[in-house]
Amino acid sequence: MIDLSLFQQYGPALLRGLGMTIFCWLVGTVFAMALGFVLALVQRSVKAWPVQWLLRAYVEFIRGTPFLVQLFVLYYGGPMLGLRLDALPAGLLGLTIYGSPYFAEIFRAGLNAVPVGQIEAARAMGFPPGAIMRRVMIPVMLVSALPALVNFSIILTKETVILSMITVPEIMFETQTMMAETFAFAEATLVLALFFWIFVEAISRIGRRQFSSNAALVARKGMVACPGRPVPIDTCIGPAAPTRVMTALSAICGKAMAADALAA
């Protein structure tokens, strides 16, 4: 039988663990995404072979070693290199380093999947490289990359339990304390499983809703369709917009389709 009185006794500690788990996941995911995006941009823009080699080595090394090993090296081996971190900063840094190469590969694949026609259209309209990246490539990339981003974010929620190995007081650490003091393995495991199930379901639903919203937005206002090569027109606002759009569409889709698109 499940002893419900244990939840009253350990409830505050478990709630603190839940909050710490969400905090670690949120901070680690945000910083890992940011670092991964920077790595993807560098991989795409810097063609020097030493830079490409270093980035490739970083990605392959982090992806090829277990997160627990990386965390131990960072937390226990860091002082040998003069890097002394408390458990929580070490855990957050470990999640950031661990997640960044995965996010970098997701972003890189998403950027490479942007149709060339959209980039050519933006160039024909006179947009600088920064504007092309910001207003054309990134919005389209996010639509295709969002499922993979959500999927790996879910994976990171489960990796947070490893932080208990360096005494970060997240949900796994608190349930282990509960089990050690009461031998209530069923109750503690049930709390742990229910929390992660609800947490993962919430992230999945938010991701599906955001994906549908982004896809609808791009389909509604972001593109003018031509065979296999949708062209963005919402970035061309101003007195010269019709001429610039006609020029871009003519170059990419043909004059007849450009006239039909502008008429619509």
Side-chain angles (χ1 to χ4, degrees), residues 19-100:
M20 181 59 69
T21 296
I22 295 174
F23 172 77
C24 291
W25 169 79
L26 185 61
V27 174
T29 301
V30 168
F31 280 97
M33 278 190 183
L35 180 56
F37 186 68
V38 171
L39 293 175
L41 290 181
V42 173
Q43 278 185 311
R44 183 178 179 86
S45 59
V46 180
K47 300 302 181 182
W49 72 264
V51 175
Q52 292 289 325
W53 186 88
L54 286 175
L55 290 176
R56 195 75 250 162
Y58 171 78
V59 169
E60 295 301 329
F61 178 78
I62 298 298
R63 292 198 305 175
T65 53
F67 178 46
L68 181 60
V69 173
Q70 298 171 20
L71 198 60
F72 278 177
V73 169
L74 185 63
Y75 185 64
Y76 296 112
M80 300 179 183
L81 303 175
L83 181 63
R84 298 181 181 275
L85 296 173
D86 293 334
L88 181 57
L92 296 177
L93 182 58
L95 284 173
T96 299
I97 294 174
Y98 174 73
S100 60

Side-chain angles (χ1 to χ4, degrees), residues 135-216:
R135 306 193 66 178
V136 178
M137 297 184 66
I138 291 178
V140 177
M141 176 270 292
L142 287 177
V143 173
S144 60
L146 187 60
L149 293 174
V150 172
N151 184 61
F152 190 72
S153 297
I154 289 174
I155 293 175
L156 282 183
T157 64
K158 302 167 188 177
E159 298 292 349
T160 57
V161 301
I162 298 179
L163 301 184
S164 64
M165 300 295 292
I166 59 171
T167 69
V168 175
E170 42 75 60
I171 184 63
M172 185 66 179
F173 182 84
E174 298 296 348
T175 53
Q176 286 178 328
T177 301
M178 177 180 171
M179 287 187 287
E181 293 177 354
T182 65
F183 299 101
F185 297 100
E187 291 85 347
T189 305
L190 179 62
V191 169
L192 195 64
L194 283 176
F195 165 70
F196 277 104
W197 177 64
I198 294 172
F199 194 25
V200 167
E201 279 297 309
I203 297 172
S204 299
R205 290 181 181 273
I206 293 172
R208 284 195 294 267
R209 181 174 299 179
Q210 189 63 41
F211 176 78
S212 300
S213 175
N214 287 352

Side-chain angles (χ1 to χ4, degrees), residues 214-242:
N214 287 352
L217 180 62
V218 169
R220 184 174 68 250
K221 63 175 289 189
M223 308 294 169
V224 172
C226 65
R229 290 184 171 186
V231 179
I233 63 170
D234 62 324
T235 53
C236 280
I237 305 298

